[in-house]
Amino acid sequence: METSTGGGSWVRQAWWDYAACVGQELALFYGSPGELPTERKEREARAKRICRRCPARPGCLAYALAQREAHGIWGGLSPAERAARRRRRRPGAVRGGGGGPRRPRRPRPGRAGVAADP
């Protein structure tokens, strides 16, 4: 798998040489037009099985997260799974689902609900 740096030049990653996906059909990791949801689920499961045994998985996943790869299975994760991981790692992100109670905000002087001095 090669990718662009955004400026049109290609940068080869060291882990590509020993990745388990080398020689596999590209469609296994990226799908094809018109793919049904059940087909996608089965295909992604097959691709993820290959990733699970891959010695290059940590480098591949780190690369995909850093490059914000929007398509395909990279490092054993789908685009939605990678996006969720990025959100969890973002500074200030709420851990544990964020469904718990929140502390009330303290009103600031001069704001609605706080009388300003005349």
Side-chain angles (χ1 to χ4, degrees):
M1 293 182 187
E2 292 186 4
T3 191
S4 172
T5 61
S9 61
W10 298 94
V11 178
R12 185 165 186 77
Q13 302 295 311
W15 50 263
W16 287 348
D17 293 330
Y18 57 93
C21 60
V22 171
Q24 299 288 330
E25 287 289 324
L26 194 58
L28 178 61
F29 294 89
Y30 286 92
S32 57
E35 183 177 54
L36 298 174
T38 54
E39 294 170 332
R40 184 187 76 239
K41 187 175 180 178
E42 291 171 9
R43 175 191 52 77
E44 286 183 349
R46 286 194 315 271
K48 289 177 180 184
R49 279 194 297 275
I50 292 170
C51 293
R52 272 197 299 271
R53 64 177 173 81
C54 181
R57 183 177 180 185
C60 177
L61 180 57
Y63 177 83
L65 291 170
Q67 296 297 315
R68 302 180 77 75
E69 286 290 342
H71 304 284
I73 302 296
W74 285 77
L77 298 182
S78 70
E81 292 164 333
R82 290 193 303 275
R85 182 170 287 195
R86 279 192 305 271
R87 283 191 301 273
R88 285 193 306 267
R89 289 184 173 187
R90 192 171 44 216
V94 177
R95 296 197 184 269
R102 296 177 182 229
R103 269 191 275 164
R105 295 174 74 183
R106 282 188 256 159
R108 292 188 255 169
R111 303 279 180 187
V114 176
D117 292 327

